[in-house]
Amino acid sequence: MAGFLLQQLVNALTIGAIYALIALGYTMVYGVLRLINFAHSELFMLGAHISYFLLAVAAANAGGAALTLVLLLVFAATFVVVGLIGVGIEAAAYRPLRGASRLAPMLSALGVSIVLQNAVMLFVSRRPLPFPAFLPQLSFELGGAIVTAKQLFIVGFSALLMVGLTRFVNATSFGVRIRAVSENLQTAQLLGININVPISLIFFIGAGLGAVAGIFYSSYYGIAVFSMGFIVGLKAFTAAILGGIGSIPGAMLGGFALGLLETFGTGLLPIVSAGSIGTEYRDIFSFSVLVVVLLFRPSGLLGETVTEEGMVYKRDF
Amino acid sequence: MTSDRSALNGAAASPALDRLGRARAIALPLVALAAAVIAVLNAPTYYVRVVDMVLIYVLLGTGLNMVVGYAGLLDLGFVAFYAIGAYSYAILASGQFDIHLHFALVLVIGGALAGLAGVLLGIPVLRLRGDYLAIVTLGFGEIVRLLLNNLDWLTNGPQGISRIDEPRILGFALAEPQDFFWLLLPLVAIAFTLVWRLECSILGLGWAAIREDQDAARGIGINTTFAKLLAFGLSATLGGVAGVVFAAFQRFVDPVSFSFWESLTVVLIIVIGGLGNLVGVAVGAAALIVLPELLRDYAEYRMLLYGAGLVAVILMRPRGLIDRRYNPAWVMRLLGWR
Amino acid sequence: MTLRFENVSKRFGALIAIDGVTLDFAPGQITSVIGPNGAGKSTLINMAAGSYSVTAGRILLDGIELQRLKKHQIAQEGVARTYQNIRLFDGMTVLQNLEVCLFAELVGEAWAEVLLSGAARRSRAARVERCRGELARFGLEPLAEAMAGDLSYGNQKLLEIARAAILRPKLLMLDEPAAGLNHAETESLKRRLRELMRPDLIMLVVEHDMSLVMALSDHIYVLHQGKLLFAGSPQEVQANPAVQEAYLGSPGEIDQIRDTARRRTNRVRIRADADIERRRPHSV
């Protein structure tokens, strides 16, 4: 029993880390622009695909000893490339719509996500690509559960990235500006901050983290496919909401929380329902979490509760 | 902010048509109707099929327009109501359970069921802020699709329900696309009339106020929850009706036809056509259904072009292709009905 | 028929905006609520209108407890208000802004409007007639088809009041109606408000413009730091020393404030701020 639970825990942490990384992108963009960046899920997918090709190139040219260095380079390159794509999308498709209705940027984001998904489908591959295993296939037993090197790597590296992001946002001048624009965009502008810099930075970092999550996801499940973004993206968004949209620690917490909920929830469903509801209900389960959170606690675990004061004089959505 | 005349008054009519005098009130619609009759009776079946689909999407667009265009609520899960209507007919008029209800009856039942679903969904969901509402409705749409896929005993799962009954009205069987045209045309006309009157009514004004500033609307005594529920319920009903007709038209339903892309298509029709404008709905539906048919050779690229087109239109004309001025009031003025 | 704030308190977290205040407002007279900023004046209106919840106490209009009701229900009980920063429906015409106020009254017949074409035309015509009449009272009739957002500031304020007045409310609350108006417009406002007065109307005005307050009011409440400082006629209020002190500060206070400001230091990490300081010339 303990082994089973521990196994589920390890699985939960792994997928949770991936959700957390993607959720960070959603939450940061929402925090500053109040925009649900539908295209974000496709950046996750792009990360997987771009790294697929970089890894193929790396495998062809690099030897065993320089492997770690090469891997880090691939990660960094993917981060940067997808990050820049994210910045480009913001500049081309969202920035011109900053003054327009709330509907417009959302629809633009939808359009971009459709374009990205279909572009990859048409010009890269319609069929799933077999993602290379760049990590040693090690696994060891821990208290009845089997933990793989892959899982350790994903959780560990994700934690590192999250710590790095937290430090960046809390202790650097760029971070101050990011927090300023997230707090109150207009005031930040009035204070003389060129808001486009922190906004672009937010998109860069968010996209990069999502891309790395894509690498993790594809290496975990062994494939990269053009359609991988939609459902995972929706779940990561659920995680962001669960943790409190707009809150960076919230996104991290939400990611792991959703991982736990999903893994334990769908792991228990067959047991609880005596086999009638199977694990194919995993997706319905996650969507239901989304709906339930939004209905009963839309501010999530760590999110802002909109105070009454704000409500009277601001236009309510 | 346009500083031209109020939206409900529409743009000024054309002086050229004024010269036709009073006769044009009847002449123009009659001419249009005659042209439609001749066209439909002589055109190849394929074209009539396309026109039928356009009309079904016009119905869908008219429904969603009440929620998105008038009340200003972004519903990304509209396909759920479409599916409820369609599967109502599929279940109640086929070999699935060997129930064979009359088409007109299911039209009412399907519409009512979808409307009920809309109200039930609306009650918990409508107090959410706009972007949250969008996500929840999207989630709801997905949940419905997944349920259709998994509740095999009811919906026959991924295989769908085939051999749906041929609909009959007053003894006439609706077998050919031409027959459906004669059903859809009056249906769309009725829907347009009712929804246009809604837009001009005090309820329509209330919706506009909610769209502008929900909080201030409450301040002047508008029960916003009630008004939004009404919009949701009415739009869902129209979606359900469209679904029933669709199922009768295709004689086959499966979960694949009711994915998020359908919701998106209807949203696109409204947005591209022009938010809140019924004329825009018609134009948008025509554009979004006919264009892919014209570009059949490039069918693969359809979604890609959809996405690119969406971004392009939003960037260039955030309020949609058809200006608010060219609304039903303008059309009526052209016809001399005002 | 009266409006009564009974022992009403409002706190926002640790901030006490209104502290156990009891006020009565009688019909047929204009009662103003004044006080220095932060005194809690707008909060009173917001609580009565349902925008804020009440932390303690009751708000009674003709015996009906307003603090229990939802915002739209309060409006339907005959409470109308204007906003400090105007909240008109910018994308609708002036006429429509007025028409929509009749929603609660007319929504019951909406089904007839939709299903019966004759009824549709007739009810719309009646509605428009009534609203045009109201607009004429305020001199806004020529602007009926203009977009509310395009109006001049003075006209927008007028429209707000017209909207509040159209349903013949029992309670009319005006939140700084003279804000941003020039002298001539303020005089005009004074006249209009007096014209609006009815024996069965309670008018509550929150205002900073002292000349308007003194000329217009029959009774004045002075709030200070969430409590009632003084109540009386305009003459009594002007003469009261406590009121003067609240507005202008006592002689020693100004120096005290200056000293404290000089001595206070901020113990926050400077590094990040310094960065912004250096960069500011480029980032504007």
Side-chain angles (χ1 to χ4, degrees):
Chain A
M1 190 53 183
F4 172 74
L5 284 178
L6 204 59
Q7 182 72 71
Q8 300 292 64
L9 184 66
V10 173
N11 297 342
L13 284 178
T14 311
I15 195 69
I18 294 176
Y19 289 155
L21 287 178
I22 307 173
L24 282 167
Y26 281 120
T27 222
M28 288 198 293
V29 168
Y30 188 87
V32 65
L33 293 178
R34 294 283 181 271
L35 163 72
I36 300 178
N37 185 7
F38 283 111
H40 188 57
S41 53
E42 306 316 319
L43 295 174
F44 158 77
M45 179 269 295
L46 272 181
H49 284 79
I50 290 178
S51 63
Y52 173 83
F53 285 106
L54 288 177
L55 283 171
V57 168
N61 295 320
L67 192 63
T68 11
L69 184 62
V70 168
L71 275 181
L72 282 175
L73 279 177
V74 169
F75 273 69
T78 310
F79 189 106
V80 170
V81 170
V82 179
L84 290 174
I85 294 178
V87 171
I89 291 174
E90 191 271 326
Y94 304 158
R95 196 178 301 180
L97 297 170
R98 255 188 227 158
S101 71
R102 346 121 184 159
L103 218 53
M106 218 186 300
L107 291 170
S108 183
L110 269 173
V112 171
S113 92
I114 295 173
V115 167
L116 287 175
Q117 212 189 87
N118 281 275
V120 170
M121 177 188 89
L122 293 167
F123 306 126
V124 176
S125 167
R126 197 180 282 269
R127 272 185 295 225
L129 298 168
F131 205 81
F134 53 82
L135 290 168
Q137 298 281 34
L138 291 172
S139 64
F140 50 93
E141 222 198 280
L142 183 68
I146 300 180
V147 181
T148 64
K150 242 190 259 185
Q151 289 172 314
L152 280 180
F153 179 74
I154 290 177
V155 177
F157 203 88
S158 303
L160 215 65
L161 286 171
M162 288 188 244
V163 167
L165 177 69
T166 310
R167 279 231 76 208
F168 181 79
V169 166
N170 287 335
T172 66
S173 73
F174 287 111
V176 170
R177 266 173 278 185
I178 286 180
R179 279 184 290 142
V181 296
S182 303
E183 195 81 29
N184 191 322
L185 191 62
Q186 275 185 310
T187 308
Q189 265 182 304
L190 291 172
L191 285 177
I193 299 177
N194 177 2
I195 55 167
N196 287 324
V197 171
I199 290 178
S200 297
L201 206 51
I202 284 173
F203 273 85
F204 181 76
I205 297 175
L209 290 175
V212 172
I215 306 178
F216 289 161
Y217 188 88
S218 285
S219 73
Y220 193 52
Y221 291 108
I223 55 163
V225 64
F226 72 91
S227 59
M228 61 193 272
F230 182 61
I231 299 240
V232 178
L234 209 53
K235 289 188 191 174
F237 185 73
T238 306
I241 299 240
L242 182 59
I245 193 105
S247 155
I248 290 180
M252 300 183 202
L253 184 63
F256 286 108
L258 186 68
L260 288 167
L261 272 172
E262 194 184 81
T263 311
F264 281 101
T266 51
L268 291 172
L269 270 179
I271 301 175
V272 167
S273 66
S276 66
I277 306 177
T279 48
E280 64 267 16
Y281 276 76
R282 174 186 297 262
D283 294 346
I284 298 186
F285 187 79
S286 296
F287 292 148
S288 307
V289 169
L290 175 65
V291 172
V292 165
V293 171
L294 283 179
L295 290 180
F296 296 107
R297 212 198 143 90
S299 55
L301 294 167
L302 298 180
E304 43 155 76
T305 34
V306 183
T307 58
E308 279 182 312
E309 250 193 328
M311 291 299 275
V312 180
Y313 299 113
K314 267 195 241 150
R315 298 253 151 149
D316 166 293
F317 191 117
Chain B
M1 223 165 347
T2 48
S3 51
D4 49 10
R5 301 175 66 77
S6 96
L8 285 183
N9 286 335
S14 145
L17 287 174
D18 280 337
R19 279 189 245 120
L20 285 175
R22 297 191 151 263
R24 79 182 189 198
I26 313 201
L28 283 177
L30 265 183
V31 167
L33 193 60
V37 172
I38 297 171
V40 165
L41 288 178
N42 290 306
T45 309
Y46 167 69
Y47 290 145
V48 182
R49 282 201 124 248
V50 173
V51 170
D52 284 341
M53 280 315 291
V54 170
L55 288 175
I56 290 180
Y57 275 95
V58 169
L59 268 182
L60 286 172
T62 309
L64 189 59
N65 188 43
M66 276 191 280
V67 166
V68 180
Y70 295 166
L73 310 165
L74 183 53
D75 180 355
L76 287 180
F78 194 61
V79 72
F81 309 120
Y82 189 39
I84 290 174
Y87 268 84
S88 300
Y89 189 68
I91 291 171
L92 295 173
S94 71
Q96 176 75 355
F97 292 106
D98 222 6
I99 310 174
H100 301 277
L101 293 182
H102 195 87
F103 173 71
L105 182 60
V106 184
L107 210 54
V108 173
I109 295 178
L113 276 177
L116 184 65
V119 172
L120 288 178
L121 173 69
I123 290 174
V125 147
L126 281 174
R127 56 184 139 101
L128 292 177
R129 265 185 18 205
D131 25 17
Y132 291 172
L133 178 68
I135 289 293
V136 170
T137 49
L138 197 161
F140 178 68
E142 276 299 291
I143 290 176
V144 167
R145 181 183 66 83
L146 288 169
L147 286 175
L148 289 177
N149 223 359
N150 288 311
L151 295 175
D152 289 16
W153 57 271
L154 181 67
T155 63
N156 214 16
Q159 292 170 314
I161 300 178
S162 54
R163 287 210 292 264
I164 297 177
D165 292 352
E166 193 178 66
R168 305 182 76 86
I169 297 190
L170 304 172
F172 291 105
L174 298 175
E176 301 298 312
Q178 281 88 344
D179 305 327
F180 276 92
F181 181 75
W182 303 124
L183 169 68
L184 281 167
L185 201 59
L187 215 52
V188 169
I190 294 173
F192 259 33
T193 310
L194 292 178
V195 173
W196 168 243
R197 286 212 197 126
L198 262 175
E199 186 181 338
C200 297
S201 74
I202 192 75
L203 188 56
L205 279 176
W207 283 337
I210 292 175
R211 186 179 70 229
E212 286 280 323
D213 187 343
Q214 192 179 206
D215 212 45
R218 284 195 206 110
I220 54 174
I222 299 179
N223 185 343
T224 55
T225 311
F226 170 73
K228 289 196 284 189
L229 270 177
L230 207 52
F232 236 60
L234 288 174
S235 83
T237 308
L238 258 179
V241 166
V244 172
V245 176
F246 175 70
F249 185 59
Q250 300 272 92
R251 310 279 293 281
F252 165 71
V253 293
D254 71 346
V256 167
S257 321
F258 304 105
S259 66
F260 170 64
W261 302 122
E262 287 303 316
S263 292
L264 191 61
T265 303
V266 186
V267 170
L268 286 182
I269 286 175
I270 296 179
V271 168
I272 288 180
L275 225 48
N277 187 348
L278 284 178
V279 172
V281 169
V283 170
L288 276 168
I289 304 302
V290 170
L291 275 177
E293 294 297 322
L294 290 179
L295 298 170
R296 264 222 145 175
D297 300 336
Y298 307 99
E300 283 194 316
Y301 295 85
R302 185 176 66 142
M303 291 307 296
L304 184 65
L305 292 172
Y306 257 31
L310 173 57
V311 178
V313 170
I314 290 287
L315 284 176
M316 291 189 295
R317 293 185 69 98
R319 288 175 151 249
L321 289 174
I322 308 287
D323 197 280
R324 279 178 82 189
R325 285 176 294 173
Y326 302 111
N327 64 356
W330 171 77
V331 172
M332 298 204 313
R333 204 166 303 160
L334 274 185
L335 293 172
W337 286 357
R338 277 190 161 196
Chain C
M1 188 195 55
T2 51
L3 170 70
R4 156 173 264 247
F5 287 82
E6 191 176 89
N7 223 346
V8 171
S9 295
K10 176 64 186 168
R11 38 168 44 178
F12 297 102
L15 174 70
I16 301 177
I18 304 269
D19 194 3
V21 157
T22 297
L23 304 172
D24 284 293
F25 296 82
Q29 66 178 28
I30 299 179
T31 314
S32 294
V33 178
I34 65 173
N37 272 321
K41 313 186 295 291
S42 288
T43 311
L44 281 179
I45 294 187
N46 286 329
M47 283 194 289
S51 294
Y52 289 170
S53 62
V54 169
T55 310
R58 307 191 295 167
I59 303 177
L60 298 147
L61 178 66
D62 254 356
I64 302 168
E65 292 192 34
L66 293 183
Q67 85 282 357
R68 287 182 190 280
L69 300 178
K70 292 215 190 96
K71 203 174 201 176
H72 68 268
Q73 291 170 320
I74 294 177
Q76 286 170 15
E77 284 295 336
V79 175
R81 68 162 297 176
T82 64
Y83 293 88
Q84 210 172 341
N85 40 350
I86 302 174
R87 282 180 89 169
L88 294 171
F89 302 121
D90 288 340
M92 293 163 68
T93 64
V94 167
L95 185 62
Q96 286 171 335
N97 265 273
L98 232 64
E99 275 184 83
V100 73
C101 294
L102 304 174
F103 184 90
E105 202 181 291
L106 300 176
V107 73
E109 288 116 53
W111 66 269
E113 260 191 277
V114 174
L115 296 174
L116 313 167
S117 80
R121 246 177 297 127
R122 277 192 301 268
S123 32
R124 176 124 210 275
R127 215 165 59 216
V128 170
E129 226 0 85
R130 184 171 162 189
C131 293
R132 279 191 185 269
E134 197 66 33
L135 282 180
R137 278 181 68 188
F138 284 82
L140 291 170
E141 226 259 309
L143 294 167
E145 296 297 334
M147 287 290 161
D150 291 340
L151 253 50
S152 71
Y153 185 75
N155 280 335
Q156 283 183 332
K157 283 235 142 192
L158 219 50
L159 180 57
E160 268 224 322
I161 299 176
R163 273 204 331 185
I166 189 168
L167 282 174
R168 302 231 169 296
K170 291 191 216 166
L171 168 63
L172 176 58
M173 301 188 290
L174 301 157
D175 200 346
E176 302 203 24
L181 295 183
N182 64 31
H183 184 72
E185 286 165 334
T186 309
E187 289 300 308
S188 174
L189 177 70
K190 209 189 302 179
R191 268 196 320 269
R192 292 213 183 275
L193 289 181
R194 286 226 193 81
E195 278 169 23
L196 277 177
M197 206 54 219
R198 297 186 321 264
D200 55 344
L201 171 65
I202 303 172
M203 208 187 292
L204 190 170
V205 178
V206 163
E207 197 31 85
H208 271 303
D209 183 336
M210 281 306 132
S211 63
L212 178 67
V213 170
M214 296 304 162
L216 193 65
S217 319
D218 299 305
H219 189 77
I220 300 179
Y221 285 116
V222 185
L223 289 187
H224 186 50
Q225 290 172 348
K227 296 215 231 298
L228 178 65
L229 184 63
F230 185 73
S233 72
Q235 293 86 337
E236 288 167 353
V237 167
Q238 278 178 309
N240 183 277
V243 174
Q244 290 166 356
E245 189 177 314
Y247 268 98
L248 301 173
S250 62
E253 252 179 22
I254 308 288
D255 297 324
Q256 267 186 335
I257 294 172
R258 212 179 289 140
D259 278 351
T260 317
R262 230 186 275 130
R263 268 183 280 118
R264 191 169 291 165
T265 50
N266 283 320
R267 290 162 56 219
V268 168
R269 288 261 208 94
I270 304 293
R271 218 189 68 192
D273 298 328
D275 210 28
I276 291 178
E277 279 282 348
R278 248 189 289 126
R279 302 258 173 102
R280 199 180 287 153
H282 299 287
S283 55
V284 170

